[in-house]
Amino acid sequence: MIGEEVRTAHEELVRRGTGLGAACEAAADATGRQRVGSDAHAALDAWENRFLSLFPYTEVVTHFQAVGRTQADPALVRRLSSVPADRHDAFLAAWLPMTCDQETGGYVTYAGLRPHLLAAEADHDEDADTAPPHGGGRDRLRSRLDELTVAVLGDLLRTEAAAAGLGTPAPAVRTRLRATARLLVLSGELAPGHPLDPSVTADVAAALARTQDPLEPLAEASERAAKTVLELVRPTLAQTVARSLLPVTRLHDEIMFIRSIQVFEALYEQIGLAVTESRDALLEGRLDEAVDALAAVTDRMTVLPALFRLLGTMPVEAFAVIRGYTSGRSAVQSLSYRRIEAACAPHPPCGAADALWTGPTLQEVWTDVRTRPGADQLAEQMRRLDTSWRGMKRSHWGITLRIIGEVPGTGGTAGASYLKTTSETPLFPALTGKGER
């Protein structure tokens, strides 16, 4: 139940205008028909009557972005929840729950994670029978996840560049755009499986280097780069990114928040793949491959400070509203995140969480081979991963402390104090002298 105080604060921010700390462009520019859902209903009628062969994602998404998921037209929500199963394809079946979770929503549907993973796994599944040995299928999945990450960053930069062009930019707007642009420039490190040609981001990088310039050159370069990125990625992935943004509020800042979650989740998937590959390689006696798998994914995590700088541009009052509208949708529910910790080392039995990982953990396999020549190199990479992982959690704690203080967390946790406690828990206790969890 969303409190009246939160609703009032939401409306006050929307009345400020468009952009950072105010309404999103889709809400500000929506027509009356888009706001009340008339266009979405008409398009759905055409699809149900088979006048349209493709589900009308654009019209439905436009309505949801115009009013916020929690204020979507109830009649439209009922229709979406009743779409016959025989009209579903795999993507629609994964996407529809996002539109109907106003009362029962969780983290997965909020962030659009099932459609994203489905799009990333498509080629992986199709090629499974012909995958080369030793992780060829994983390599394809990594590449698709990286392409998806680049598409998310491109769409986010497009959104922030457009917002920066609205009126006289405040210092906070400059900071937000620069942080977003920097992430796209660094995408080759975060998502090396889908590297951009340097020419795509050259103008953005040059504009970032000119720190005293007006914001317009960076905004213009960012718009061009974002447009190019979204043209270069596969159409199915660009469509997935466009359709997976169903914010619960009308606030511009929630777009950045959701896109950041999607980037983090793709990284968690990559870390999980690397831990699994390292464990499997070690079981098969391929120690060098086990070392390389961890080293490569830890290298990706060097970009995390830039991502946290972006999150740090969130206005406190905007996040208070977003948080009020997303109670129960905490990142503590992330299965990808929890699976990493379950795969790294043994943990106390905890019911459903035990299903996240089967077989020996990476720490257990390493323990069995740690006296072999070269095992110390793997231990060093395990320490690097642990250092980066705990550093990420400390950064999360710091951001949370600044934005929400010491109030309880949305997922039933103790908020910032919970994050501080978890940041002190190592991935590999056997390497830190703390024993097994």
Side-chain angles (χ1 to χ4, degrees), residues 23-277:
C24 67
E25 188 176 13
D29 294 347
T31 67
R33 288 182 57 84
Q34 290 169 339
R35 288 193 181 93
V36 300
S38 298
D39 285 353
H41 277 290
L44 197 55
D45 287 341
W47 181 74
E48 288 177 342
N49 293 323
R50 302 184 186 273
F51 297 133
L52 286 178
S53 59
L54 298 178
F55 184 83
Y57 290 102
T58 299
E59 291 82 359
V60 175
V61 169
T62 298
H63 170 66
F64 274 72
Q65 291 181 356
V67 299
R69 197 184 306 195
T70 55
Q71 296 300 309
D73 174 48
L76 180 63
V77 173
R78 286 194 295 272
R79 291 185 70 179
L80 293 169
S81 66
S82 302
V83 171
D86 62 0
R87 296 298 303 275
H88 289 188
D89 56 29
F91 183 87
L92 183 60
W95 181 83
L96 279 171
M98 295 177 62
T99 69
C100 311
D101 72 340
Q102 288 80 358
E103 301 299 327
T104 60
Y107 176 75
V108 172
T109 53
Y110 173 63
L113 300 182
R114 287 198 180 103
H116 272 220
L117 287 177
L118 185 66
E121 292 170 351
D123 280 359
H124 174 67
D125 291 341
E126 291 168 8
D127 297 341
D129 293 337
T130 59
H134 304 330
R138 290 192 190 118
D139 288 343
R140 276 190 288 274
L141 180 54
R142 283 195 191 93
S143 178
R144 289 281 283 199
L145 285 167
D146 282 349
E147 187 175 2
L148 187 62
T149 296
V150 171
V152 169
L153 292 176
D155 190 76
L156 176 58
L157 184 57
R158 177 193 60 78
T159 301
E160 294 299 341
L166 301 172
T168 303
V173 174
R174 172 185 290 273
T175 301
R176 168 73 62 82
L177 181 59
R178 288 182 63 84
T180 310
R182 176 64 62 189
L183 275 172
L184 187 66
V185 171
L186 294 173
S187 64
E189 299 174 40
L190 178 64
H194 189 76
L196 295 173
D197 188 287
S199 63
V200 174
T201 57
D203 289 347
V204 175
L208 284 171
R210 298 190 296 269
T211 58
Q212 302 305 314
D213 275 6
L215 195 57
E216 287 80 1
L218 176 59
E220 292 169 1
S222 295
E223 284 191 290
R224 291 194 301 271
K227 182 175 183 293
T228 300
V229 166
L230 294 173
E231 290 171 347
L232 289 175
V233 299
R234 302 180 197 217
T236 54
L237 290 187
Q239 290 168 358
T240 296
V241 169
R243 294 166 181 171
S244 67
L245 186 69
L246 299 183
V248 299
T249 72
R250 288 172 284 159
L251 299 184
H252 174 83
D253 298 287
E254 192 183 0
I255 297 174
M256 180 273 286
F257 186 60
I258 292 174
R259 292 307 193 203
S260 296
I261 289 173
Q262 292 170 346
V263 172
F264 270 112
E265 285 292 325
L267 178 60
Y268 296 155
E269 289 291 326
Q270 296 282 11
I271 297 171
L273 286 170
V275 171
T276 303
E277 181 176 358

Side-chain angles (χ1 to χ4, degrees), residues 1 12 23 26 38 64 89 101 155 159 166 224 228 250 259 284 286 293 322 324 350 358 380 382 389 424-425 435:
M1 185 70 178
E12 289 176 353
S38 298
F64 274 72
D89 56 29
D101 72 340
D155 190 76
T159 301
L166 301 172
R224 291 194 301 271
T228 300
R250 288 172 284 159
R259 292 307 193 203
E284 296 172 13
R286 294 179 280 111
I322 295 167
C350 49
T358 57
E380 178 58 29
M382 291 165 68
W389 185 256
E424 297 168 352
T425 303

